[in-house]
Amino acid sequence: MVIFILGDRQNMSLLTPASEVIQRHLEHFIDRHVLLAGDIQDELGTILEAASVRVLTNQYHRWKNLQPALGENVLFASTATAEFVKPCDTLIYFWSKNKQEAAFQLDDLCTHLAVGSQIFIVGENRSGVKSAEAIMEGIATLQKIDSARRCGLYYGELEQPTEFDIKRWWRNYQVDNVKIHALPGVFSHNELDIGSDLLLSTLTEPMSGNVLDLACGNGVLAAVVGTQNPAVTLTLSDVSASAIDSATATLAANNLTGKIIPSDVYSDLDDKFDWIISNPPFHDGINTSYNAVETLIFQAPKYLKKGGRLRIVANAFLPYPDLLDKAFGGHVVLAKTGKFKVYEAIKR
């Protein structure tokens, strides 16, 4: 636990190792207009002492945590706006574990920053932050200026702004006759993953009513279900802005309609559903985390109608059977491979 004293109030904040490395260089930021972006995992943006601080986050739950303190100075979006970035002369970019997502985000940000802007890129070594030098070649010459907490911190100044065009970053593929669109960093970005394929193999029976695709990613599950069952009402939800944009594009490409809602699991959902389907993540950044899945399972009965079904796919080693039994009183395994299992639980 790190304790910061700001003015006459005490602010306690648990910082990530990457943010703790930034804390070792506070003198760089005192008179700068700072933009924090990338894999934001804590509330450094609310306590960093600078001329001004803005935060761009792709994660809805991070935005909800930061918005009360930062107001309009925090933006939830997959890409930046010129209006939001241009007042800033310093970028602190928290490296994404997904190299392509980092390249996508830096391409976007370096379009809006002015030549000479200071750029700090920080991340845990295991996340591949050393790739920053190659990705920024021709844009900014980076030098490693610190190494601590198993993290690297790189610094450079913007030499050649980029010319961001999001069309270059979209990836498209098909699942049978269903068109899938995805941005970097979204699960199953380039092709259908094995787990989702296994889950879809169990969704062949006629479906009706309200269907929620939770942690929807690029929207592949909802798009296939909606194409096969035109009468269903679709709701798609994810914590990622890039996933929200990808799912929106996927539904549009298949002439499907549905509600697409940014939500931290069920935080912004009010309806009750006949089906909840999901290939839920078990990572938060580069760290394993079961918090979201535990919430997904334990609160599912509250969001299901009587007789409603929760159907999820997961790595076989994950401890979900016990969670399902506690939440629903039982479950069945509908399909399995050596690596994955598809579970179903019904609200009685």
Side-chain angles (χ1 to χ4, degrees), residues 78-100:
S78 61
T79 57
T81 64
E83 180 184 19
F84 191 77
V85 175
K86 281 189 174 180
C88 303
D89 57 20
T90 301
L91 170 66
I92 301 176
Y93 182 82
F94 290 86
W95 189 256
S96 166
K97 70 171 183 176
N98 185 302
K99 182 178 177 180
Q100 198 167 30

Side-chain angles (χ1 to χ4, degrees), residues 259-287:
K259 297 179 183 177
I260 303 178
I261 303 171
S263 182
D264 183 8
V265 196
Y266 300 105
S267 68
D268 288 62
L269 300 174
D270 299 316
D271 297 333
K272 287 186 178 290
F273 301 94
D274 299 282
W275 290 84
I276 298 175
I277 57 176
S278 185
N279 182 355
F282 60 96
H283 289 96
D284 189 359
I286 60 175
N287 299 310

Side-chain angles (χ1 to χ4, degrees), residues 7 29 63 76 85 161 167 191 199 228 240 242 257 274 310 332 334:
F29 310 115
W63 175 83
F76 168 66
V85 175
K167 294 177 183 176
E191 61 184 359
L199 177 54
Q228 295 176 347
S240 160
S242 293
T257 59
D274 299 282
L310 171 68
V332 294
L334 298 180

Side-chain angles (χ1 to χ4, degrees), residues 199-275:
L199 177 54
L200 286 171
S201 74
T202 73
L203 294 170
T204 55
E205 74 269 41
M207 297 172 66
S208 60
N210 296 332
V211 178
L212 170 63
D213 182 356
L214 195 57
C216 65
N218 59 31
V220 59
L221 300 179
V224 171
V225 167
T227 299
Q228 295 176 347
N229 304 273
V232 298
T233 300
L234 296 174
T235 300
L236 294 77
S237 178
D238 203 289
V239 76
S240 160
S242 293
I244 294 296
D245 290 350
S246 299
T248 300
T250 293
L251 288 196
N254 294 284
N255 297 313
L256 295 169
T257 59
K259 297 179 183 177
I260 303 178
I261 303 171
S263 182
D264 183 8
V265 196
Y266 300 105
S267 68
D268 288 62
L269 300 174
D270 299 316
D271 297 333
K272 287 186 178 290
F273 301 94
D274 299 282
W275 290 84

Side-chain angles (χ1 to χ4, degrees), residues 106-222:
L106 287 165
D107 184 19
D108 174 39
L109 291 164
C110 290
T111 291
H112 305 301
L113 290 167
V115 171
S117 294
Q118 296 183 353
I119 297 175
F120 295 82
I121 298 179
V122 64
E124 293 191 41
N125 296 325
R126 60 177 173 150
S127 71
V129 67
K130 65 182 180 180
S131 298
E133 290 179 278
I135 285 177
M136 294 297 286
E137 186 174 355
I139 303 168
T141 303
L142 297 182
Q143 292 185 330
K144 193 172 187 179
I145 61 170
D146 200 356
S147 182
R149 301 293 308 224
R150 298 179 180 176
C151 294
L153 175 63
Y154 296 81
Y155 171 77
E157 294 185 2
L158 184 63
E159 300 158 3
Q160 180 61 54
T162 53
E163 295 181 4
F164 179 73
D165 181 358
I166 197 169
K167 294 177 183 176
R168 295 201 306 262
W169 293 98
W170 282 104
R171 295 293 177 267
N172 310 309
Y173 59 90
Q174 289 199 188
V175 177
D176 296 328
N177 62 334
V178 177
K179 300 171 185 175
I180 309 302
H181 293 248
L183 289 171
V186 176
F187 190 60
S188 285
H189 172 227
N190 291 307
E191 61 184 359
L192 183 67
D193 64 282
I194 298 171
S196 294
D197 190 33
L198 185 65
L199 177 54
L200 286 171
S201 74
T202 73
L203 294 170
T204 55
E205 74 269 41
M207 297 172 66
S208 60
N210 296 332
V211 178
L212 170 63
D213 182 356
L214 195 57
C216 65
N218 59 31
V220 59
L221 300 179

